Structure formats: structure tokens, C-alpha cells
Amino acid sequence: MQRQRGLTLLELMVVLLIIGFATAGVALALRDSSQTQLEREAQRLVAKLEAGRAQSRTSGQTLVWRPTATGFVLDSLPRVANQPVTQDVWLQANTQVTIDVPANASATGVVLGPEPILSPIQITLRIQADKANASTLRIGTNGLKPFEVLP
């Protein structure tokens, strides 16, 4: 008797099914956690604040960063007529922001003036993944250093 070589259709389907389950498991394991998404938001905000600070120093115009319900705005102060205000939207829709400023300052926004020294400020970002889990990160500056993600 001569033995046949190769795979049967059933064996081939089982192998493909195993590969499919393994791929799905890896894809689910590599999804972004809320902490990773929050770190991405914080790095993006640090970059925006530093860009605004540099723009303010080169133009001599005061800029104000302030959070909104769905994102944030970087606007000039005083407001220039007919200048469109662009709003950046948070990458994660449920991001919440708290501005921690000294007691004698306003907590409605971060003033980025043309002066090289700012008031010390911290911004707390929070993402509520579900009722039990919330991730929190702080960014800030001591007034002299650039904005950075704080430990």
C-alpha cells in the first residue's frame, strides 16, 4: 500500500483556527491600557505647553492655555479680534484636568508670558477607565525648568 503525503482539509483548518486564536489573543493583550493612554496625553500636553511658551517668548505676546470640556485651547491674551481659536481634542474622551496653582493665582488657565520665568504650576490629568480604576498623572514646572511629567 502506498501512503499519501500532505495534509487533509480538516488538519489544515485546525492549524488555521489555532493561528487565528493566537493572533486574537496577542492583539487583545497589546491593547493600550488607560495608563499608557494617559502618558501619551501628558507627553502631548507637555509638548503643546512648551511650544506655546516658546511662541510667547519669540512673539512677545502672552498666551493662555485653558482646558475645555472636550480638550484644551491655547489663546492669546488679550484676545485678538477675528483670530480663530483652535481647540485641541483629548485623545481619550474621558480625560479630566485639574490645575493646581499657588493660592494667589487663578486656576482657570496657565499663563505663558514672554518672561522666561513662570509661576510654579502643576496640571493633573486623570482618566477614569471604569468606576473602580482611574489613572492619574501630573505635569508641571517650577517656573524655571520646562514642563515635564512629574513622578
Side-chain angles (χ1 to χ4, degrees):
M1 240 177 149
Q2 195 175 20
R3 188 172 178 144
Q4 292 182 342
R5 295 181 146 183
L7 299 172
T8 66
L9 183 60
L10 182 61
E11 292 169 332
L12 185 60
M13 288 177 65
V14 168
V15 168
L16 289 176
L17 187 65
I18 291 170
I19 291 172
F21 279 131
T23 304
V26 168
L28 289 175
L30 294 179
R31 282 188 3 200
D32 280 347
S33 68
S34 60
Q35 185 66 31
T36 305
Q37 293 170 346
L38 189 62
E39 289 170 5
R40 191 177 307 136
E41 288 282 16
Q43 290 298 333
R44 179 174 165 238
L45 183 56
V46 165
K48 290 280 188 176
L49 288 170
E50 280 304 309
R53 194 173 184 183
Q55 178 184 349
S56 176
R57 290 186 68 192
T58 56
S59 69
Q61 186 177 20
T62 302
L63 297 176
V64 176
W65 175 89
R66 55 188 161 71
T68 63
T70 59
F72 55 90
V73 173
L74 191 60
D75 198 8
S76 62
L77 189 69
R79 178 92 175 88
V80 178
N82 298 328
Q83 181 182 12
V85 176
T86 57
Q87 178 174 335
D88 287 302
V89 179
W90 295 117
L91 300 174
Q92 186 67 24
N94 56 348
T95 303
Q96 302 165 350
V97 180
T98 307
I99 302 173
D100 305 318
V101 294
N104 59 351
S106 169
T108 59
V110 177
V111 178
L112 305 170
E115 304 84 23
I117 300 174
L118 296 174
S119 300
I121 194 159
Q122 290 184 3
I123 301 169
T124 304
L125 298 176
R126 180 182 175 153
I127 293 180
Q128 186 81 30
D130 54 38
K131 290 183 180 181
N133 297 330
S135 299
T136 304
L137 262 181
R138 292 177 319 147
I139 67 169
T141 179
N142 66 359
L144 296 172
K145 293 182 178 179
F147 283 93
E148 62 184 351
V149 177
L150 300 173

PDB file of all heavy atoms in Angstrom, residues 110-138:
ATOM      1  N   VAL A 110      -3.416  78.399  32.348  1.00  0.00           N
ATOM      2  CA  VAL A 110      -1.987  78.539  32.556  1.00  0.00           C
ATOM      3  C   VAL A 110      -1.512  79.688  31.677  1.00  0.00           C
ATOM      4  O   VAL A 110      -1.652  79.646  30.458  1.00  0.00           O
ATOM      5  CB  VAL A 110      -1.238  77.242  32.185  1.00  0.00           C
ATOM      6  CG1 VAL A 110       0.261  77.422  32.326  1.00  0.00           C
ATOM      7  CG2 VAL A 110      -1.736  76.089  33.033  1.00  0.00           C
ATOM      8  N   VAL A 111      -0.965  80.729  32.309  1.00  0.00           N
ATOM      9  CA  VAL A 111      -0.498  81.896  31.569  1.00  0.00           C
ATOM     10  C   VAL A 111       0.946  81.653  31.157  1.00  0.00           C
ATOM     11  O   VAL A 111       1.816  81.415  31.991  1.00  0.00           O
ATOM     12  CB  VAL A 111      -0.613  83.171  32.428  1.00  0.00           C
ATOM     13  CG1 VAL A 111      -0.069  84.372  31.675  1.00  0.00           C
ATOM     14  CG2 VAL A 111      -2.057  83.406  32.838  1.00  0.00           C
ATOM     15  N   LEU A 112       1.179  81.717  29.848  1.00  0.00           N
ATOM     16  CA  LEU A 112       2.507  81.541  29.280  1.00  0.00           C
ATOM     17  C   LEU A 112       2.954  82.894  28.743  1.00  0.00           C
ATOM     18  O   LEU A 112       2.669  83.245  27.607  1.00  0.00           O
ATOM     19  CB  LEU A 112       2.485  80.497  28.162  1.00  0.00           C
ATOM     20  CG  LEU A 112       1.910  79.137  28.540  1.00  0.00           C
ATOM     21  CD1 LEU A 112       1.717  78.282  27.304  1.00  0.00           C
ATOM     22  CD2 LEU A 112       2.798  78.452  29.549  1.00  0.00           C
ATOM     23  N   GLY A 113       3.611  83.672  29.584  1.00  0.00           N
ATOM     24  CA  GLY A 113       4.023  85.017  29.202  1.00  0.00           C
ATOM     25  C   GLY A 113       5.365  85.025  28.524  1.00  0.00           C
ATOM     26  O   GLY A 113       6.073  84.015  28.486  1.00  0.00           O
ATOM     27  N   PRO A 114       5.753  86.167  28.006  1.00  0.00           N
ATOM     28  CA  PRO A 114       7.044  86.266  27.327  1.00  0.00           C
ATOM     29  C   PRO A 114       8.235  86.230  28.287  1.00  0.00           C
ATOM     30  O   PRO A 114       9.363  86.081  27.853  1.00  0.00           O
ATOM     31  CB  PRO A 114       6.962  87.608  26.599  1.00  0.00           C
ATOM     32  CG  PRO A 114       5.873  88.363  27.245  1.00  0.00           C
ATOM     33  CD  PRO A 114       4.957  87.371  27.871  1.00  0.00           C
ATOM     34  N   GLU A 115       7.987  86.369  29.587  1.00  0.00           N
ATOM     35  CA  GLU A 115       9.064  86.317  30.553  1.00  0.00           C
ATOM     36  C   GLU A 115       9.624  84.893  30.636  1.00  0.00           C
ATOM     37  O   GLU A 115       8.891  83.933  30.482  1.00  0.00           O
ATOM     38  CB  GLU A 115       8.574  86.731  31.952  1.00  0.00           C
ATOM     39  CG  GLU A 115       7.926  88.084  32.029  1.00  0.00           C
ATOM     40  CD  GLU A 115       6.454  88.037  31.640  1.00  0.00           C
ATOM     41  OE1 GLU A 115       5.829  86.957  31.729  1.00  0.00           O
ATOM     42  OE2 GLU A 115       5.938  89.071  31.211  1.00  0.00           O
ATOM     43  N   PRO A 116      10.919  84.756  30.897  1.00  0.00           N
ATOM     44  CA  PRO A 116      11.493  83.398  30.972  1.00  0.00           C
ATOM     45  C   PRO A 116      11.102  82.631  32.227  1.00  0.00           C
ATOM     46  O   PRO A 116      11.259  81.431  32.283  1.00  0.00           O
ATOM     47  CB  PRO A 116      13.008  83.654  30.933  1.00  0.00           C
ATOM     48  CG  PRO A 116      13.179  85.065  31.356  1.00  0.00           C
ATOM     49  CD  PRO A 116      11.921  85.797  30.991  1.00  0.00           C
ATOM     50  N   ILE A 117      10.571  83.329  33.244  1.00  0.00           N
ATOM     51  CA  ILE A 117      10.200  82.672  34.496  1.00  0.00           C
ATOM     52  C   ILE A 117       8.682  82.678  34.633  1.00  0.00           C
ATOM     53  O   ILE A 117       8.039  83.714  34.481  1.00  0.00           O
ATOM     54  CB  ILE A 117      10.841  83.383  35.701  1.00  0.00           C
ATOM     55  CG1 ILE A 117      12.357  83.347  35.571  1.00  0.00           C
ATOM     56  CG2 ILE A 117      10.397  82.727  37.002  1.00  0.00           C
ATOM     57  CD1 ILE A 117      13.079  84.134  36.626  1.00  0.00           C
ATOM     58  N   LEU A 118       8.113  81.519  34.916  1.00  0.00           N
ATOM     59  CA  LEU A 118       6.676  81.379  35.145  1.00  0.00           C
ATOM     60  C   LEU A 118       6.417  81.132  36.621  1.00  0.00           C
ATOM     61  O   LEU A 118       7.326  80.817  37.379  1.00  0.00           O
ATOM     62  CB  LEU A 118       6.125  80.178  34.358  1.00  0.00           C
ATOM     63  CG  LEU A 118       6.187  80.210  32.854  1.00  0.00           C
ATOM     64  CD1 LEU A 118       5.730  78.865  32.304  1.00  0.00           C
ATOM     65  CD2 LEU A 118       5.331  81.313  32.311  1.00  0.00           C
ATOM     66  N   SER A 119       5.167  81.216  37.011  1.00  0.00           N
ATOM     67  CA  SER A 119       4.780  80.789  38.348  1.00  0.00           C
ATOM     68  C   SER A 119       4.845  79.271  38.395  1.00  0.00           C
ATOM     69  O   SER A 119       4.525  78.601  37.418  1.00  0.00           O
ATOM     70  CB  SER A 119       3.344  81.222  38.656  1.00  0.00           C
ATOM     71  OG  SER A 119       3.222  82.606  38.597  1.00  0.00           O
ATOM     72  N   PRO A 120       5.231  78.692  39.530  1.00  0.00           N
ATOM     73  CA  PRO A 120       5.195  77.231  39.630  1.00  0.00           C
ATOM     74  C   PRO A 120       3.754  76.747  39.445  1.00  0.00           C
ATOM     75  O   PRO A 120       2.821  77.330  39.977  1.00  0.00           O
ATOM     76  CB  PRO A 120       5.676  76.955  41.058  1.00  0.00           C
ATOM     77  CG  PRO A 120       6.387  78.190  41.467  1.00  0.00           C
ATOM     78  CD  PRO A 120       5.755  79.317  40.731  1.00  0.00           C
ATOM     79  N   ILE A 121       3.609  75.715  38.661  1.00  0.00           N
ATOM     80  CA  ILE A 121       2.260  75.224  38.364  1.00  0.00           C
ATOM     81  C   ILE A 121       2.296  73.726  38.126  1.00  0.00           C
ATOM     82  O   ILE A 121       3.302  73.188  37.656  1.00  0.00           O
ATOM     83  CB  ILE A 121       1.667  75.971  37.147  1.00  0.00           C
ATOM     84  CG1 ILE A 121       0.186  75.731  37.046  1.00  0.00           C
ATOM     85  CG2 ILE A 121       2.359  75.591  35.872  1.00  0.00           C
ATOM     86  CD1 ILE A 121      -0.526  76.764  36.235  1.00  0.00           C
ATOM     87  N   GLN A 122       1.203  73.066  38.469  1.00  0.00           N
ATOM     88  CA  GLN A 122       1.041  71.649  38.191  1.00  0.00           C
ATOM     89  C   GLN A 122      -0.334  71.418  37.579  1.00  0.00           C
ATOM     90  O   GLN A 122      -1.303  72.057  37.983  1.00  0.00           O
ATOM     91  CB  GLN A 122       1.170  70.815  39.459  1.00  0.00           C
ATOM     92  CG  GLN A 122       2.562  70.773  40.011  1.00  0.00           C
ATOM     93  CD  GLN A 122       2.665  69.855  41.212  1.00  0.00           C
ATOM     94  OE1 GLN A 122       1.710  69.207  41.604  1.00  0.00           O
ATOM     95  NE2 GLN A 122       3.849  69.806  41.793  1.00  0.00           N
ATOM     96  N   ILE A 123      -0.385  70.524  36.629  1.00  0.00           N
ATOM     97  CA  ILE A 123      -1.636  70.136  35.979  1.00  0.00           C
ATOM     98  C   ILE A 123      -1.803  68.639  36.201  1.00  0.00           C
ATOM     99  O   ILE A 123      -0.899  67.860  35.913  1.00  0.00           O
ATOM    100  CB  ILE A 123      -1.617  70.463  34.476  1.00  0.00           C
ATOM    101  CG1 ILE A 123      -1.394  71.960  34.260  1.00  0.00           C
ATOM    102  CG2 ILE A 123      -2.893  69.990  33.802  1.00  0.00           C
ATOM    103  CD1 ILE A 123      -1.108  72.339  32.830  1.00  0.00           C
ATOM    104  N   THR A 124      -2.957  68.262  36.723  1.00  0.00           N
ATOM    105  CA  THR A 124      -3.243  66.852  36.973  1.00  0.00           C
ATOM    106  C   THR A 124      -4.183  66.341  35.892  1.00  0.00           C
ATOM    107  O   THR A 124      -5.241  66.917  35.661  1.00  0.00           O
ATOM    108  CB  THR A 124      -3.896  66.663  38.356  1.00  0.00           C
ATOM    109  OG1 THR A 124      -3.035  67.231  39.352  1.00  0.00           O
ATOM    110  CG2 THR A 124      -4.132  65.198  38.654  1.00  0.00           C
ATOM    111  N   LEU A 125      -3.770  65.282  35.214  1.00  0.00           N
ATOM    112  CA  LEU A 125      -4.598  64.618  34.208  1.00  0.00           C
ATOM    113  C   LEU A 125      -5.110  63.320  34.800  1.00  0.00           C
ATOM    114  O   LEU A 125      -4.359  62.589  35.446  1.00  0.00           O
ATOM    115  CB  LEU A 125      -3.793  64.314  32.944  1.00  0.00           C
ATOM    116  CG  LEU A 125      -3.225  65.499  32.186  1.00  0.00           C
ATOM    117  CD1 LEU A 125      -2.391  65.010  31.023  1.00  0.00           C
ATOM    118  CD2 LEU A 125      -4.327  66.402  31.694  1.00  0.00           C
ATOM    119  N   ARG A 126      -6.373  63.027  34.541  1.00  0.00           N
ATOM    120  CA  ARG A 126      -6.985  61.818  35.083  1.00  0.00           C
ATOM    121  C   ARG A 126      -7.877  61.187  34.030  1.00  0.00           C
ATOM    122  O   ARG A 126      -8.653  61.880  33.375  1.00  0.00           O
ATOM    123  CB  ARG A 126      -7.801  62.179  36.317  1.00  0.00           C
ATOM    124  CG  ARG A 126      -8.464  61.008  36.951  1.00  0.00           C
ATOM    125  CD  ARG A 126      -9.280  61.449  38.125  1.00  0.00           C
ATOM    126  NE  ARG A 126      -9.989  60.281  38.625  1.00  0.00           N
ATOM    127  CZ  ARG A 126     -10.372  60.135  39.846  1.00  0.00           C
ATOM    128  NH1 ARG A 126     -10.158  61.063  40.721  1.00  0.00           N
ATOM    129  NH2 ARG A 126     -11.002  59.052  40.214  1.00  0.00           N
ATOM    130  N   ILE A 127      -7.762  59.886  33.885  1.00  0.00           N
ATOM    131  CA  ILE A 127      -8.645  59.120  33.014  1.00  0.00           C
ATOM    132  C   ILE A 127      -9.352  58.081  33.872  1.00  0.00           C
ATOM    133  O   ILE A 127      -8.714  57.278  34.540  1.00  0.00           O
ATOM    134  CB  ILE A 127      -7.884  58.435  31.862  1.00  0.00           C
ATOM    135  CG1 ILE A 127      -7.330  59.473  30.906  1.00  0.00           C
ATOM    136  CG2 ILE A 127      -8.788  57.463  31.122  1.00  0.00           C
ATOM    137  CD1 ILE A 127      -6.573  58.900  29.731  1.00  0.00           C
ATOM    138  N   GLN A 128     -10.669  58.135  33.864  1.00  0.00           N
ATOM    139  CA  GLN A 128     -11.494  57.185  34.618  1.00  0.00           C
ATOM    140  C   GLN A 128     -11.864  56.057  33.667  1.00  0.00           C
ATOM    141  O   GLN A 128     -12.769  56.189  32.852  1.00  0.00           O
ATOM    142  CB  GLN A 128     -12.749  57.893  35.144  1.00  0.00           C
ATOM    143  CG  GLN A 128     -13.590  57.054  36.046  1.00  0.00           C
ATOM    144  CD  GLN A 128     -13.062  57.023  37.470  1.00  0.00           C
ATOM    145  OE1 GLN A 128     -12.460  57.962  37.925  1.00  0.00           O
ATOM    146  NE2 GLN A 128     -13.300  55.933  38.151  1.00  0.00           N
ATOM    147  N   ALA A 129     -11.152  54.940  33.773  1.00  0.00           N
ATOM    148  CA  ALA A 129     -11.404  53.804  32.890  1.00  0.00           C
ATOM    149  C   ALA A 129     -12.762  53.175  33.199  1.00  0.00           C
ATOM    150  O   ALA A 129     -13.540  52.885  32.308  1.00  0.00           O
ATOM    151  CB  ALA A 129     -10.297  52.768  33.016  1.00  0.00           C
ATOM    152  N   ASP A 130     -13.035  52.953  34.470  1.00  0.00           N
ATOM    153  CA  ASP A 130     -14.331  52.464  34.928  1.00  0.00           C
ATOM    154  C   ASP A 130     -14.502  52.943  36.361  1.00  0.00           C
ATOM    155  O   ASP A 130     -13.703  53.710  36.868  1.00  0.00           O
ATOM    156  CB  ASP A 130     -14.454  50.944  34.789  1.00  0.00           C
ATOM    157  CG  ASP A 130     -13.328  50.198  35.481  1.00  0.00           C
ATOM    158  OD1 ASP A 130     -12.905  50.622  36.571  1.00  0.00           O
ATOM    159  OD2 ASP A 130     -12.869  49.185  34.930  1.00  0.00           O
ATOM    160  N   LYS A 131     -15.556  52.504  37.025  1.00  0.00           N
ATOM    161  CA  LYS A 131     -15.835  53.016  38.373  1.00  0.00           C
ATOM    162  C   LYS A 131     -14.730  52.685  39.364  1.00  0.00           C
ATOM    163  O   LYS A 131     -14.476  53.439  40.293  1.00  0.00           O
ATOM    164  CB  LYS A 131     -17.174  52.471  38.870  1.00  0.00           C
ATOM    165  CG  LYS A 131     -18.342  53.050  38.127  1.00  0.00           C
ATOM    166  CD  LYS A 131     -19.645  52.546  38.689  1.00  0.00           C
ATOM    167  CE  LYS A 131     -20.803  53.155  37.905  1.00  0.00           C
ATOM    168  NZ  LYS A 131     -22.088  52.736  38.417  1.00  0.00           N
ATOM    169  N   ALA A 132     -14.058  51.577  39.175  1.00  0.00           N
ATOM    170  CA  ALA A 132     -13.039  51.151  40.136  1.00  0.00           C
ATOM    171  C   ALA A 132     -11.639  51.648  39.781  1.00  0.00           C
ATOM    172  O   ALA A 132     -10.816  51.852  40.657  1.00  0.00           O
ATOM    173  CB  ALA A 132     -13.037  49.641  40.234  1.00  0.00           C
ATOM    174  N   ASN A 133     -11.353  51.822  38.490  1.00  0.00           N
ATOM    175  CA  ASN A 133      -9.997  52.141  38.065  1.00  0.00           C
ATOM    176  C   ASN A 133      -9.902  53.554  37.505  1.00  0.00           C
ATOM    177  O   ASN A 133     -10.647  53.933  36.612  1.00  0.00           O
ATOM    178  CB  ASN A 133      -9.529  51.160  36.984  1.00  0.00           C
ATOM    179  CG  ASN A 133      -9.461  49.743  37.506  1.00  0.00           C
ATOM    180  OD1 ASN A 133      -9.223  49.527  38.676  1.00  0.00           O
ATOM    181  ND2 ASN A 133      -9.682  48.785  36.632  1.00  0.00           N
ATOM    182  N   ALA A 134      -8.949  54.317  38.018  1.00  0.00           N
ATOM    183  CA  ALA A 134      -8.655  55.648  37.499  1.00  0.00           C
ATOM    184  C   ALA A 134      -7.142  55.807  37.454  1.00  0.00           C
ATOM    185  O   ALA A 134      -6.438  55.403  38.374  1.00  0.00           O
ATOM    186  CB  ALA A 134      -9.273  56.721  38.375  1.00  0.00           C
ATOM    187  N   SER A 135      -6.633  56.376  36.372  1.00  0.00           N
ATOM    188  CA  SER A 135      -5.210  56.637  36.240  1.00  0.00           C
ATOM    189  C   SER A 135      -4.993  58.138  36.359  1.00  0.00           C
ATOM    190  O   SER A 135      -5.748  58.926  35.790  1.00  0.00           O
ATOM    191  CB  SER A 135      -4.708  56.145  34.886  1.00  0.00           C
ATOM    192  OG  SER A 135      -4.901  54.762  34.772  1.00  0.00           O
ATOM    193  N   THR A 136      -3.955  58.532  37.075  1.00  0.00           N
ATOM    194  CA  THR A 136      -3.662  59.937  37.297  1.00  0.00           C
ATOM    195  C   THR A 136      -2.195  60.201  37.015  1.00  0.00           C
ATOM    196  O   THR A 136      -1.329  59.417  37.389  1.00  0.00           O
ATOM    197  CB  THR A 136      -3.976  60.337  38.759  1.00  0.00           C
ATOM    198  OG1 THR A 136      -5.330  60.021  39.029  1.00  0.00           O
ATOM    199  CG2 THR A 136      -3.756  61.804  38.992  1.00  0.00           C
ATOM    200  N   LEU A 137      -1.924  61.331  36.339  1.00  0.00           N
ATOM    201  CA  LEU A 137      -0.565  61.789  36.081  1.00  0.00           C
ATOM    202  C   LEU A 137      -0.512  63.290  36.301  1.00  0.00           C
ATOM    203  O   LEU A 137      -1.482  63.998  36.031  1.00  0.00           O
ATOM    204  CB  LEU A 137      -0.167  61.500  34.630  1.00  0.00           C
ATOM    205  CG  LEU A 137       0.656  60.267  34.342  1.00  0.00           C
ATOM    206  CD1 LEU A 137       0.968  60.164  32.869  1.00  0.00           C
ATOM    207  CD2 LEU A 137       1.924  60.209  35.135  1.00  0.00           C
ATOM    208  N   ARG A 138       0.628  63.780  36.754  1.00  0.00           N
ATOM    209  CA  ARG A 138       0.803  65.217  36.924  1.00  0.00           C
ATOM    210  C   ARG A 138       1.919  65.702  36.028  1.00  0.00           C
ATOM    211  O   ARG A 138       2.935  65.022  35.871  1.00  0.00           O
ATOM    212  CB  ARG A 138       1.162  65.542  38.373  1.00  0.00           C
ATOM    213  CG  ARG A 138       0.055  65.299  39.357  1.00  0.00           C
ATOM    214  CD  ARG A 138       0.498  65.567  40.766  1.00  0.00           C
ATOM    215  NE  ARG A 138       1.838  65.054  40.982  1.00  0.00           N
ATOM    216  CZ  ARG A 138       2.736  65.596  41.794  1.00  0.00           C
ATOM    217  NH1 ARG A 138       2.456  66.657  42.464  1.00  0.00           N
ATOM    218  NH2 ARG A 138       3.924  65.059  41.941  1.00  0.00           N
TER     219      ARG A 138
END
